[in-house]
Amino acid sequence: MSIDRRTLLTGMAGAGLAGGCATTGAGSRSDPRGRPNILWLVSEDNGPFIGAYGDRLAHTPHIDAMARGGLLYRKVYANAPVCAPSRFCLLTGIHPESNGPAHHMRADSTLPAFLKTYPQHLRAAGYYCTNNEKTDYNATVDPKAIWDESSATAHYRNRPANTPFMAVFNFETTHESRLFGVTEGRVKPQDVQVPPTLPDSDGVRRDIASYYNLMEKMDAQVGEKLAELAREGLADDTIVFYYSDNGGCLPWSKRHCREEGMRCALVVHVPPKWADYAPLAMGSEIAAPVSFIDFVPTLLSIAGVEQPKELPGTPFLGRRVARPKPLAFGMRNRMDERYDFVRTVSDGQYRYIRNYMPHRPMGQPVAFPLMLRSYQDVYRRRQAGELDAAQARFFEPRPFEELYDLNADPDQLHNLANAPGQRARVRDFARALDRHMLAINDNGFIPEGAPLEGYEASRVPGAYPLADIMELAAKAAAGDPAHVSALIAGLAATNEVLRYWAATGLVIRKAHAVSARAALVDALKRETSPHVRIVLAEALSHVGETALALATFREALASGSEPVALQALNAITYVDPACRPLDAIGRWDKNPGYLGRATRYLLRTAAGAFDPAASLLGPRG
């Protein structure tokens, strides 16, 4: 059902969604104890390509009207630039990187026994909780066990009388996969502005235009849900959130710790009845950073539930509105079949980025986004040597630290990390990020599948000396030749994670680590961790030990462990072809998962020039 703007605005004004007073209709079943309902309207893979945020090409009248009569949050950040880790945070109220492997894309993390999800907290407080219908929680959580309803038909209208509700409706209309095809509409390819990080090509323009047209379709769905709430007579009893689950899906955005990947939309409407739950009057804009880590505390604040001490966020609405936090933190680890490790922090004007794997390019080949025409055009132009310097950065090694002024340089073209006038700012951001990572016990340094991974295992006293690991990992990633001796010493550490990062530092230096050749050979002889052995093999491949590297990669590929095999495939992708045991990886060519995708890329590049338009997704892809 489509609703025109005039009808929606009339319904919103009558329902309190455009700033007017409202009257509870006959269909209302309010909570006699005086608690508001909560409605979440969630879209996927979109930043603020919305008129209310100043985007003149966007046609989003329903969200715009909601913003005029509500609160528009200007600087809202996901904790991860991709859905599954992001939704883990939204469900649990803790950082995914504090509960490995939840920081990796599509993983099965286990929650500690004491940690409850937000629907469990709200149901215990008497709320009827529904989810329609996406889960994608990155954890071994049974949706049926935590929700009253979680299905394609879940709806707040199914609740018992006189029961407050918390309802989630997810719109997949703007999901990355919707750009696999073309969506015609109001915006045409010739209308769009191509950012300087992307080539001005037909594929790029068509994807951007389709994106805007999908945003218009999603906006209509938001309007339908707002009108439905008004028809039910529930608008003046319901606090409504519209937000997106991570940033946009064009190249340089989704999966990347840049503003385009981290920044989301958030508009909240608080009806007059609950005006004291809002920090400002409806119609206001809020510039202070808000992070997804604050969403669960905000729900609990609205519902009158005490916030558990293990939740690090702060509420921005409800009975306990906290002082806005000055910084929002974010992360990236494995994205689909490709390993990486990035941490970032922003105050809304500046973004600081720390690359712990700077030897891997930002634009690692990932099968799923390569289904987009824009990605295919970027790869084709790279192969043809047609990218300019700003665009080619996508495929180049990265610095350990980056800093961008988002006001002066919204496209993040100019890294200020080494600018003389920015040294104090870089130091302050770096210290804040260090404190944050220590406070949440960041699991990101632990190889996926290693025994230390997880909330409880990584907190066993002495098991995971994070401060020491962070110090060594910083030396590893900085690339300074002066640190080679410290890395060699780290190869003999008793802790597996320390050895892993010592070896990684020598991989980063490639042939410049030739002085560590004997130490690497000795380390491999005594190493028992398959994860560390893979990194040692990659380091050895760069200093002339081809036979040792080949044998070790074969061993990892035959290990029977999917994380170990995937880590080996990632390493093999970046070594000299003479060190690639291609005959040992063909077993996964028909695999529909991440192992198959990484394998098909290796086999096709070995056979000749890589065709970015040839799908790597494989069976059932």
Side-chain angles (χ1 to χ4, degrees):
M1 177 182 67
S2 62
I3 302 173
D4 65 35
R5 185 176 182 182
R6 179 185 179 94
T7 301
L8 179 72
L9 288 175
T10 303
M12 289 173 68
L17 293 178
C21 296
T23 303
T24 302
S28 173
R29 291 180 283 179
S30 300
D31 176 28
R33 288 173 287 181
R35 292 177 296 177
N37 304 313
I38 306 166
L39 177 62
W40 274 9
L41 305 176
V42 188
S43 61
E44 298 195 45
D45 294 354
N46 65 272
F49 280 47
I50 293 169
Y53 284 90
D55 193 318
R56 296 182 179 179
L57 199 55
H59 186 74
T60 50
H62 306 121
I63 298 172
D64 296 350
M66 185 179 170
R68 286 194 298 272
L71 299 172
L72 177 70
Y73 290 82
R74 282 274 170 196
K75 297 291 185 176
V76 179
Y77 296 109
N79 62 287
V82 74
C83 55
S86 171
R87 287 173 180 265
F88 176 93
C89 177
L90 289 167
L91 181 73
T92 65
I94 66 171
H95 293 276
E97 62 269 37
S98 68
N99 193 92
H103 51 291
H104 296 298
M105 176 59 179
R106 295 275 147 70
D108 290 326
S109 61
T110 301
L111 301 184
F114 63 83
L115 185 67
K116 300 293 187 290
T117 63
Y118 78 78
Q120 289 174 297
H121 284 297
L122 295 182
R123 289 176 71 188
Y127 273 75
Y128 187 80
C129 297
T130 66
N131 177 56
N132 187 328
E133 113 187 83
K134 187 165 183 174
T135 53
D136 208 9
Y137 294 141
N138 237 28
T140 54
V141 173
D142 179 4
K144 294 180 180 178
I146 63 173
W147 295 96
D148 287 296
E149 298 179 72
S150 181
S151 70
T153 59
H155 204 287
Y156 55 79
R157 65 166 63 101
N158 300 328
R159 72 196 186 284
N162 301 320
T163 303
F165 67 81
M166 193 284 161
V168 181
F169 291 92
N170 292 272
F171 308 122
E172 297 187 24
T173 310
T174 52
H175 187 266
E176 178 180 36
S177 60
R178 301 306 190 264
L179 286 182
F180 292 178
V182 175
T183 301
E184 302 288 355
R186 183 186 309 268
V187 178
K188 309 300 181 185
Q190 63 269 24
D191 300 332
V192 308
Q193 180 176 348
V194 178
T197 51
L198 295 177
D200 191 344
S201 69
D202 291 343
V204 168
R205 284 187 170 274
R206 188 164 292 281
D207 276 357
I208 296 174
S210 290
Y211 190 43
Y212 275 107
N213 294 329
L214 290 167
M215 286 291 293
E216 182 173 355
K217 290 176 181 292
M218 179 274 293
D219 176 79
Q221 293 174 308
V222 170
E224 290 172 10
K225 289 301 175 187
L226 295 177
E228 180 179 71
L229 191 72
R231 288 196 304 271
E232 296 283 338
L234 294 167
D236 64 344
D237 285 315
T238 305
I239 297 176
V240 182
F241 294 63
Y242 159 72
Y243 68 91
S244 53
D245 68 345
N246 51 252
C249 49
L250 297 167
W252 295 78
S253 54
K254 183 177 179 180
R255 300 178 182 85
H256 301 294
C257 286
R258 293 167 54 86
E259 196 73 356
E260 302 94 324
M262 302 299 300
R263 189 177 174 208
C264 302
L266 173 63
V267 179
V268 179
H269 181 266
V270 181
K273 180 177 180 179
W274 307 100
D276 59 336
Y277 279 37
L280 295 172
M282 295 300 98
S284 300
E285 296 186 2
I286 296 176
V290 170
S291 171
F292 279 11
I293 201 68
D294 303 320
F295 277 44
V296 173
T298 297
L299 288 178
L300 301 183
S301 173
I302 292 171
V305 177
E306 183 178 355
Q307 180 174 329
K309 64 181 185 303
E310 63 267 13
L311 302 189
T314 56
F316 54 88
L317 289 169
R319 305 182 188 188
R320 305 180 306 275
V321 177
R323 182 187 297 274
K325 292 187 296 186
L327 300 173
F329 297 92
M331 51 70 61
R332 163 186 165 104
N333 281 98
R334 178 173 55 73
M335 293 291 162
D336 297 4
E337 67 266 34
R338 297 300 174 194
Y339 284 98
D340 200 357
F341 185 176
V342 182
R343 295 294 179 266
T344 184
V345 56
S346 177
D347 63 1
Q349 179 178 350
Y350 289 90
R351 177 164 295 283
Y352 171 82
I353 300 171
R354 183 183 293 167
N355 298 299
Y356 281 102
M357 296 178 66
H359 57 308
R360 302 292 195 239
M362 181 187 301
Q364 295 192 68
V366 178
F368 200 80
L370 272 167
M371 296 294 289
L372 273 64
R373 289 171 298 276
S374 51
Y375 266 91
Q376 293 168 14
D377 278 4
V378 169
Y379 273 76
R380 285 195 194 96
R381 299 236 173 166
R382 182 214 182 190
Q383 292 173 347
E386 296 174 355
L387 297 179
D388 64 26
Q391 297 157 4
R393 281 178 57 205
F394 195 60
F395 299 101
E396 295 170 354
R398 296 163 289 175
F400 176 48
E401 294 181 298
E402 301 174 68
L403 179 73
Y404 300 99
D405 183 339
L406 303 172
N407 291 346
D409 179 25
D411 294 304
Q412 298 136 90
L413 300 175
H414 307 293
N415 181 12
L416 304 176
N418 294 317
Q422 298 293 343
R423 288 173 183 165
R425 180 171 282 111
V426 170
R427 180 198 62 220
D428 291 345
F429 273 125
R431 289 176 177 174
L433 183 57
D434 285 344
R435 289 193 297 269
H436 166 75
M437 294 173 72
L438 288 166
I440 67 169
N441 199 49
D442 193 315
N443 278 202
F445 297 93
I446 304 170
E448 186 174 16
L452 285 175
E453 201 171 44
Y455 192 98
E456 293 170 313
S458 64
R459 284 169 172 77
V460 173
Y464 184 47
L466 183 54
D468 294 340
I469 292 166
M470 287 174 59
E471 181 180 358
L472 183 62
K475 291 178 180 178
D480 188 339
H483 293 146
V484 169
S485 59
L487 299 173
I488 292 174
L491 295 175
T494 57
N495 184 274
E496 172 186 347
V497 183
L498 283 168
R499 299 196 304 274
Y500 180 91
W501 282 96
T504 297
L506 297 172
V507 169
I508 290 169
R509 284 153 181 81
K510 295 187 176 179
H512 296 292
V514 68
S515 62
R517 181 173 180 170
L520 287 164
V521 172
D522 288 343
L524 185 65
K525 290 177 182 177
R526 63 176 180 267
E527 184 57 63
T528 58
S529 163
H531 312 280
V532 181
R533 290 181 66 82
I534 291 168
V535 188
L536 289 170
E538 185 175 356
L540 286 163
S541 77
H542 296 310
V543 296
E545 292 287 350
T546 301
L548 269 179
L550 269 169
T552 308
F553 287 144
R554 289 181 186 279
E555 166 196 294
L557 293 170
S559 68
S561 165
E562 288 200 7
V564 169
L566 187 58
Q567 288 166 50
L569 290 170
N570 272 262
I572 293 166
T573 301
Y574 293 100
V575 299
D576 187 275
C579 297
R580 297 175 182 171
L582 296 179
D583 58 313
I585 68 173
R587 58 188 285 198
W588 289 303
D589 188 23
K590 303 301 182 184
N591 183 295
Y594 294 148
L595 288 172
R597 297 176 189 184
T599 293
R600 283 185 284 278
Y601 178 79
L602 277 168
L603 294 177
R604 292 181 191 178
T605 53
F610 171 61
D611 179 4
S615 173
L616 295 170
L617 293 183
R620 300 192 305 277

